[in-house]
């Protein structure tokens, strides 16, 4: 799956988890500071991504840097999708 499609899935999942529109997201949009994501919503976001794109994510393997920004999360999910497809 290409990164643009991954980014769109993440945006849709973020809106579902946060119960609001998130507007335009840039790679530098900070998930915690700008979007007010918290630890509970991170888990909900991961579950939503697993459901929508079929990605298996082990929360134990995640580094906090993955959730630093929209761009870092998009990069991580894209890389995981490429590993799964290989």
């Amino acid at each position: 799956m290409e990164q643009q499609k991954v980014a769109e899935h993440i945006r849709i999942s973020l809106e579902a988890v946060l119960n609001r529109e998130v507007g335009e997201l840039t790679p530098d949009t900070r998930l915690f500071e700008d979007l007010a994501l918290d630890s509970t919503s991170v888990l909900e976001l991961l579950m939503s991504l697993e459901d929508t794109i079929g990605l298996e994510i082990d929360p134990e393997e995640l580094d906090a840097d993955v959730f630093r920004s929209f761009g870092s999360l998009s990069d991580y999910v894209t890389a995981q999708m490429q590993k799964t497809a290989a």
Side-chain angles (χ1 to χ4, degrees):
M1 181 179 292
E2 66 186 52
Q3 189 151 4
Q4 185 177 12
K5 288 186 179 186
V6 167
E8 182 63 16
H9 281 290
I10 294 171
R11 185 187 64 74
I12 291 168
S13 292
L14 279 168
E15 289 180 346
V17 166
L18 297 171
N19 293 318
R20 63 179 170 86
E21 289 187 21
V22 293
E24 185 175 335
L25 297 170
T26 68
D28 296 327
T29 301
R30 298 170 302 172
L31 299 177
F32 289 97
E33 294 87 348
D34 298 334
L35 298 179
L37 216 61
D38 60 23
S39 58
T40 302
S41 53
V42 165
L43 292 174
E44 291 177 27
L45 175 63
L46 291 175
M47 290 188 298
S48 177
L49 289 171
E50 288 176 344
D51 290 344
T52 59
I53 61 178
L55 182 62
E56 296 275 336
I57 301 172
D58 182 357
E60 298 294 321
E61 295 178 3
L62 290 175
D63 188 306
D65 283 342
V66 169
F67 297 98
R68 185 182 69 250
S69 68
F70 180 70
S72 63
L73 180 58
S74 296
D75 291 344
Y76 173 80
V77 172
T78 300
Q80 293 302 318
M81 293 297 293
Q82 290 171 349
K83 283 183 191 177
T84 303

